[in-house]
Amino acid sequence: TRRSSDLAAQAAMAHCRKAGHQVTVAVVDRSGLVQVMLRDRFAGAHSPPTATGKAWTAVSFKSNTTELVAATQAPAMQGLRQLPNVVLIGGGVMIEAGGSMLGGIGVSGAPGGDADEACAKAGIAAISDKLDF
């Protein structure tokens, strides 16, 4: 059987393709280690490390990156933006089930963090009935 992480990445990419976006999708485990990475042929060269960074950031801070973008506007929180490997752009989403964080998914390459996040959430929705990470 195919792993949930593979299915989530494929569903996220399919959602972006349907919208006409060439992206990279990265799925990480709860430790932030990459389990799956898919890159569309014409996704930007920046998109693999950015997708990975978004997923890692969501897992590391136990928060979706869109929420972290808003939180780090406050002067007391702006230092988070300078930490190594942190990518504070929308498109990094936690994968959760049963009150536990199982991993994260990051998408990069769509025009804007909102579009990246929509693709990431579509990937999670595709596995919501499985989540056997």
Side-chain angles (χ1 to χ4, degrees), residues 45-59:
H46 68 283
S47 63
T50 304
T52 301
K54 289 179 183 186
W56 180 89
T57 300
V59 166

Side-chain angles (χ1 to χ4, degrees), residues 3-13 24-30 32-38 48 51-56 59 93-95 102-107 120 123-124 127 133:
R3 294 183 312 164
S4 293
S5 53
D6 295 327
L7 295 171
Q10 291 165 352
M13 181 163 286
T24 296
V25 178
V27 178
V28 300
D29 64 17
R30 74 182 92 206
L33 298 174
V34 175
Q35 301 298 302
V36 179
M37 181 181 293
L38 300 176
T52 301
K54 289 179 183 186
W56 180 89
V59 166
V93 180
M94 294 180 295
I95 301 171
L102 304 177
I105 185 168
V107 178
I124 294 168
I127 60 165
F133 228 72

Side-chain angles (χ1 to χ4, degrees), residues 9-119:
Q10 291 165 352
M13 181 163 286
H15 185 83
C16 271
R17 281 181 176 163
K18 191 183 229 183
H21 310 312
Q22 295 275 308
V23 300
T24 296
V25 178
V27 178
V28 300
D29 64 17
R30 74 182 92 206
S31 299
L33 298 174
V34 175
Q35 301 298 302
V36 179
M37 181 181 293
L38 300 176
R39 179 183 171 271
D40 253 332
R41 183 175 182 184
F42 298 114
H46 68 283
S47 63
T50 304
T52 301
K54 289 179 183 186
W56 180 89
T57 300
V59 166
S60 179
F61 290 95
K62 297 179 175 70
S63 183
N64 296 341
T65 56
T66 298
E67 295 162 13
L68 289 168
V69 168
T72 58
Q73 297 299 315
M77 299 291 285
Q78 289 179 356
L80 293 178
R81 294 171 173 259
Q82 306 306 316
L83 294 174
N85 303 316
V86 171
V87 178
L88 293 177
I89 304 168
V93 180
M94 294 180 295
I95 301 171
E96 299 175 284
S100 296
M101 183 179 55
L102 304 177
I105 185 168
V107 178
S108 177
D114 291 346
D116 287 333
E117 184 170 315
C119 297

